[in-house]
């Protein structure tokens, strides 16, 4: 018994033959011409048969391929046709609106900066908001920048506002290591590049609530990330020292630090004699 391929080939040949016979039968009969005229008539009939045969062969081949894709046709597996379309670019979510904080009398704010510098600092803040939002735990809530200082942000969760400081400040002095005194609890970790970071919880106010912070030295700057409590509701900062250490280890966070260290936005920290 022949294969499916043999049957398909025979069916294709029959379709070609029948189509050529039908087409050439419709041509007017050749007149009894002598010599070149009769030869031209034969060539004309042959060209028609070849052209029609090629067209029918293409149609028959397409039909055979389509039939091979149908269930039960003996195909070894489904053929997947993928139509490539233009990629749909994902639009990043815009950062939350900045929080306006009125400066105290005599205090400056970002509104006092030259336009170009203010734009530079605001762009950095927007980038920092995206990184901090992605790295801090959900308990922190929504992170916003403020228009008071480049290092001042706020996290809001369930209607409670937690002030947040992210500072990369040039300084000639090394940050002080954490010491477990006055209820302070310390932890530390080694960041990429061998940098030692110290994290802690620090009792504030009456000691009923705590601030959480991590700090380390990066290049010529002292880096600090601190989350403060919501004192009106007696709610401590909703993050642990271990969680802040994980933030500090993240490449995206260290990229922020690297940017702020290369192009400082805060004035250099200087020690106060006798302070």
């Amino acid at each position: 018994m022949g294969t499916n391929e043999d049957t398909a080939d025979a069916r294709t040949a029959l379709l070609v033959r029948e189509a050529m016979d039908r087409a050439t039968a419709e041509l007017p009969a050749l007149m009894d011409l002598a010599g070149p005229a009769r030869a031209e008539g034969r060539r004309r009939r042959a060209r028609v048969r070849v052209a029609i045969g090629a067209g029918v062969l293409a149609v028959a081949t397409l039909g055979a391929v389509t039939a091979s894709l149908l269930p039960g046709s003996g195909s070894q597996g489904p053929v997947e046709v993928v139509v490539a379309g233009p990629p749909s670019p994902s639009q990043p979510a815009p950062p939350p609106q900045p929080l306006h904080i009125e400066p105290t009398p005599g205090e400056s704010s970002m509104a006092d900066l030259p336009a170009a510098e203010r734009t530079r600092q605001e762009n950095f803040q927007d980038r920092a908001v995206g990184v901090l939002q992605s790295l801090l735990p959900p308990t922190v809530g929504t992170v916003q920048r403020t228009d008071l200082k480049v290092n001042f942000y706020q996290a809001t969760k369930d209607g409670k506002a937690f002030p947040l400081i992210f500072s990369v400040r040039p300084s000639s002095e090394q940050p002080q290591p954490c010491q477990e005194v006055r209820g302070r609890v310390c932890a530390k970790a080694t960041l990429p590049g061998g940098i030692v970071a110290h994290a802690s919880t620090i009792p504030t106010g009456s000691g009923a609530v705590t601030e959480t912070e991590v700090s380390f030295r990066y290049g010529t700057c002292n880096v600090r990330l601190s989350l403060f409590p919501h004192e009106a509701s007696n709610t401590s900062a909703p993050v642990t020292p271990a969680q802040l250490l994980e933030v500090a280890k993240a490449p995206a966070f260290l990229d922020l630090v690297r940017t702020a260290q290369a192009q400082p936005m805060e004035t250099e920290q200087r020690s106060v004699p006798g302070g």
Side-chain angles (χ1 to χ4, degrees):
M1 178 176 286
T3 64
N4 291 337
E5 289 78 6
D6 294 337
T7 303
D9 291 343
R11 186 183 301 112
T12 301
L14 180 60
L15 288 172
V16 173
R17 190 179 300 111
E18 289 177 352
M20 289 192 298
D21 289 341
R22 285 196 302 271
T24 54
E26 295 173 0
L27 293 174
L30 291 173
M31 297 177 61
D32 188 13
L33 302 175
R38 184 179 297 114
E40 176 61 26
R42 291 195 186 95
R43 285 195 293 271
R44 178 187 173 197
R45 186 179 297 269
R47 286 196 298 269
V48 171
R49 290 173 65 92
V50 170
I52 294 176
V56 174
L57 179 60
V59 173
T61 302
L62 177 61
V65 172
T66 303
S68 70
L69 300 179
L70 296 176
S73 63
S75 174
Q76 296 299 314
V79 177
E80 181 179 359
V81 179
V82 179
V83 180
S88 54
S90 58
Q91 298 295 332
Q97 290 297 311
L99 182 68
H100 174 67
I101 297 180
E102 194 68 23
T104 59
E107 182 183 23
S108 62
S109 72
M110 293 176 67
D112 300 316
L113 295 171
E117 178 62 16
R118 180 177 179 180
T119 298
R120 184 176 79 95
Q121 293 190 14
E122 288 175 343
N123 289 340
F124 178 81
Q125 283 185 313
D126 283 338
R127 181 181 166 194
V129 165
V131 171
L132 293 173
Q133 189 71 74
S134 67
L135 295 177
L136 288 167
T139 53
V140 168
T142 301
V143 178
Q144 293 173 271
R145 67 179 177 89
T146 76
D147 62 0
L148 183 63
K149 300 290 182 184
V150 67
N151 62 9
F152 192 25
Y153 303 77
Q154 179 175 286
T156 305
K157 178 71 171 178
D158 299 330
K160 300 173 183 176
F162 302 94
L164 189 156
I165 296 293
F166 170 43
S167 172
V168 184
R169 190 171 183 181
S171 177
S172 59
E173 299 181 357
Q174 297 283 338
Q176 295 296 318
C178 180
Q179 296 181 351
E180 292 190 328
V181 295
R182 300 177 184 175
R184 187 168 186 160
V185 178
C186 301
K188 69 177 181 178
T190 301
L191 311 184
I195 298 171
V196 177
H198 295 266
S200 60
T201 55
I202 309 165
T204 63
S206 63
V209 291
T210 56
E211 165 197 350
T212 309
E213 76 168 26
V214 62
S215 62
F216 56 92
R217 179 76 171 177
Y218 190 96
T220 58
C221 294
N222 289 338
V223 182
R224 175 189 171 200
L225 179 63
S226 300
L227 193 63
F228 295 85
H230 183 248
E231 294 185 351
S233 64
N234 260 5
T235 304
S236 294
V239 66
T240 67
Q243 288 170 327
L244 286 192
L245 286 171
E246 289 302 313
V247 172
K249 291 178 183 178
F253 181 77
L254 292 175
D255 281 345
L256 279 177
V257 172
R258 188 177 300 112
T259 297
Q261 193 266 156
Q263 300 176 338
M265 282 166 277
E266 298 182 60
T267 57
E268 184 175 355
Q269 179 180 0
R270 298 182 183 275
S271 60
V272 179

